[in-house]
Amino acid sequence: MLQKPKGTYDIYGKRSLMMNYLKEVFSNLIDKYNASYFETPMFESSELFHRGVGETTDIVSKETYDFKDRGDRNMTLRPEGTAGIVRSFIENKLYAESLPLKAWYMGPMFRYERPQAGRYREFYQIGFECFGTYDPMMDAETISIVYNFFNLLGLKGVKVNINTLGDKESREMYHKALMDYFKPYLNELCDDCNRRFEKNPLRILDCKVDADNDFMKCAPRMTDYLNEVSREHFSLVKNYLDAMNIDYEVNSNIVRGLDYYTHTVFEVVADIKDFGSQNVLAGGGRYNNLVENIGGPSVPGVGFAIGVERLLLALEYEGLDNIEFNPVDVYIFGASENEKEYIMKLANDLRGNGFKIDVDYESKSFKNNFKRADKLNSRFVIIIGEEEVKTKILTVKNNKTKEEYKVNIDELIKFLDEKLGDFDED
Ligand code: HAM
């Protein structure tokens, strides 16, 4: 039997309901922030991610799905959403419009990682990016969106961790301090970290292989190398979070796995032991140089992405995933083959008036049809026979109470509207 590729999954049943639900809740919420929905291609030129996400990151050096298309171009399945949105922002000259511009997206991302619970090779992100303001208000607003979204969903056991990576000047001083610190340990660091040492020593702090070495725990901290501007920026972000009553902790170990961040970075983690390192439900931060690095003007950005599968696991863990398919309003079947045309018309009219309808396509027995109506949790059943077609008086059966009503076809919509209202009140 042909099987799905390793690290992927199919979306159907409860998972599809939950994903649609998350998209709906998020799109309603994000509209309040005046953000607009974006979709960008699932593959882009490989160069975009090399320049955007960064050559020394695990994502680009080990995890991308790269291929040559038939025109011999180097292409990559997007490992994340930010680089594509930035490319779109530049290519469509959106920077010439009124800024700040807020964008959101939901779609699949691809990373060649070792699959396990909460870690897939094709996974979904819900993301947000805002372009055009250096103001720390926007860092705090960005964090507040994730916080408010998780609150709306009812999640309790989540924590917001924030940190700052400072501006370019602070970063350079910090890089130097890290190089001085790690130099004596080069023999003990893994091969990747030896490469990172030269190109981007900050990445060493993010290494999964070397994480448990004692000397990692005593490495210099960014907070000790922040210049005045960076310190002030971070301090204002915290003030604004306090003003919105958002709980957070400053955690100086957060460096994030992508190269583009400046100033504020944050992660939202679920307090669930079994999740291991998959407990990071969302991550993001400010990226003041990314637009320019990808070839655009100097426009700052800030954003986040939420891992949908991990969010679903957390919701399930807290028992917040009890949504069910909407029941069918009316199930219609015929007493014989002869009523099929009439049923087609009736179902079409009722659907056009907003009712959820299912019908019997195969002229099954009464018994089978009532079984199917029960299975679909249908609220009403209508059986069409010769008599009904002739008299225009239909028998409408409440499938729960088994009560029967005689309803003139011209009164049917009004009747269903009223009676279905009673169900909603139950
Ligand atoms: P990221 O931290 O690489 O950031 O990913 C964001 C979230 O995607 C993670 O916190 C996690 O929940 C989820 N995720 C990542 N990899 C996987 C995987 N293999 N399987 C399942 N879920 C995964 C970014 O992608 C940035 N673009 C976020 C951002 C937007 N920063 C600024 N703007």
Side-chain angles (χ1 to χ4, degrees):
M1 189 180 51
L2 286 172
Q3 291 184 339
K4 60 187 178 308
K6 198 173 162 190
T8 65
Y9 61 89
D10 301 316
I11 300 173
Y12 61 91
K14 188 163 183 175
R15 196 192 280 262
S16 98
L17 279 183
M18 283 303 288
M19 287 179 75
N20 285 338
Y21 163 70
L22 291 183
K23 188 167 187 178
E24 196 183 313
V25 177
F26 190 80
S27 72
N28 280 331
L29 173 70
I30 201 69
D31 187 52
K32 311 288 181 287
Y33 294 82
N34 195 27
S36 54
Y37 182 70
F38 270 57
E39 275 198 29
T40 59
M42 281 184 221
F43 61 95
E44 299 263 6
S45 67
S46 305
E47 194 194 343
L48 173 66
F49 301 112
H50 285 254
R51 277 163 65 177
V53 177
E55 315 252 15
T56 54
T57 59
D58 274 3
I59 297 176
V60 165
S61 62
K62 300 184 193 158
E63 295 170 1
T64 49
Y65 279 87
D66 302 311
F67 62 98
K68 268 198 192 297
D69 72 6
R70 288 172 195 267
D72 215 28
R73 300 174 195 90
N74 290 318
M75 293 291 170
T76 295
L77 293 184
R78 62 181 185 195
E80 57 101 53
T82 312
I85 300 277
V86 171
R87 197 258 321 124
S88 166
F89 177 74
I90 300 169
E91 192 174 342
N92 297 303
K93 298 192 173 52
L94 301 179
Y95 50 80
E97 297 183 9
S98 162
L99 296 182
L101 177 138
K102 299 178 195 176
W104 75 279
Y105 51 93
M106 175 168 173
M109 309 294 158
F110 306 85
R111 295 183 193 176
Y112 193 82
E113 291 194 86
R114 205 160 41 80
Q116 61 185 73
R119 199 203 285 151
Y120 295 89
R121 291 184 173 169
E122 179 178 4
F123 60 98
Y124 273 71
Q125 284 186 343
I126 294 177
F128 167 82
E129 316 292 346
C130 173
F131 299 102
T133 176
Y134 288 97
D135 201 288
M137 275 173 81
M138 190 46 77
D139 308 42
E141 183 171 304
T142 301
I143 296 169
S144 77
I145 297 171
V146 187
Y147 185 87
N148 291 336
F149 180 46
F150 288 179
N151 258 342
L152 264 183
L153 296 170
L155 272 180
K156 296 265 178 299
V158 286
K159 242 174 52 186
V160 178
N161 291 325
I162 65 169
N163 190 22
T164 176
L165 302 179
D167 63 3
K168 213 169 164 190
E169 186 188 77
S170 312
R171 269 278 267 283
E172 274 162 14
M173 287 195 300
Y174 185 47
H175 275 196
K176 188 169 172 321
L178 285 174
M179 285 178 94
D180 291 345
Y181 178 80
F182 281 121
K183 201 161 188 179
Y185 300 111
L186 279 178
N187 286 340
E188 293 170 63
L189 288 170
C190 72
D191 290 350
D192 281 341
C193 280
N194 270 275
R195 268 193 299 278
R196 290 167 182 144
F197 178 79
E198 289 297 338
K199 287 192 171 166
N200 187 357
L202 196 75
R203 283 268 75 79
I204 299 176
L205 301 174
D206 197 35
C207 179
K208 287 158 199 144
V209 180
D210 289 326
D212 294 333
N213 276 328
D214 278 342
F215 60 81
M216 292 293 266
K217 294 176 188 117
C218 306
R221 285 168 188 265
M222 180 75 224
T223 35
D224 297 329
Y225 295 86
L226 293 177
N227 60 14
E228 198 43 44
V229 176
S230 305
R231 215 181 287 280
E232 173 70 6
H233 186 97
F234 195 46
S235 157
L236 286 170
V237 173
K238 289 185 284 184
N239 286 353
Y240 297 140
L241 290 174
D242 291 338
M244 290 185 283
N245 285 327
I246 291 177
D247 284 331
Y248 62 87
E249 260 176 46
V250 177
N251 179 339
S252 57
N253 292 327
I254 296 177
V255 293
R256 310 276 301 123
L258 307 95
D259 275 352
Y260 45 64
Y261 294 109
T262 51
H263 290 285
T264 318
V265 286
F266 70 97
E267 289 182 348
V268 183
V269 296
D271 187 17
I272 302 173
K273 272 191 227 91
D274 325 343
F275 272 28
S277 60
Q278 268 52 256
N279 70 343
V280 185
L281 306 187
R286 174 168 281 283
Y287 46 86
N288 285 350
N289 308 315
L290 181 60
V291 177
E292 204 171 354
N293 288 347
I294 291 181
S298 177
V299 176
V302 49
F304 66 76
I306 298 165
V308 169
E309 295 74 12
R310 292 183 193 181
L311 176 57
L312 288 178
L313 280 173
L315 289 170
E316 190 183 335
Y317 189 86
E318 293 197 14
L320 297 167
D321 62 337
N322 297 320
I323 64 169
E324 286 177 3
F325 285 94
N326 285 335
V328 164
D329 292 326
V330 187
Y331 182 74
I332 309 171
F333 68 94
S336 74
E337 287 271 340
N338 302 336
E339 286 78 36
K340 281 191 165 174
E341 271 175 37
Y342 190 90
I343 291 175
M344 287 295 287
K345 176 169 175 6
L346 180 60
N348 197 44
D349 289 347
L350 290 177
R351 286 172 181 142
N353 278 283
F355 298 103
K356 181 163 170 171
I357 306 295
D358 214 340
V359 302
D360 172 27
Y361 301 94
E362 313 212 300
S363 306
K364 292 199 187 105
S365 67
F366 270 51
K367 195 171 152 211
N368 278 338
N369 272 313
F370 274 111
K371 254 198 199 155
R372 173 112 179 115
D374 287 345
K375 184 115 187 133
L376 296 175
N377 204 6
S378 185
R379 286 162 165 188
F380 288 96
V381 177
I382 299 179
I383 310 165
I384 305 294
E386 232 176 86
E387 189 64 19
E388 283 75 14
V389 175
K390 208 162 62 197
T391 60
K392 296 188 175 171
I393 307 288
L394 307 185
T395 305
V396 184
K397 183 167 180 170
N398 180 321
N399 202 33
K400 196 167 148 200
T401 63
K402 308 297 173 201
E403 269 170 282
E404 285 190 359
Y405 306 86
K406 297 284 179 202
V407 185
N408 188 298
I409 183 87
D410 298 329
E411 301 287 315
L412 184 60
I413 288 167
K414 192 164 156 257
F415 170 86
L416 288 174
D417 268 336
E418 276 171 23
K419 292 288 175 193
L420 285 166
D422 295 346
F423 272 93
D424 292 338
E425 278 159 23
D426 275 358

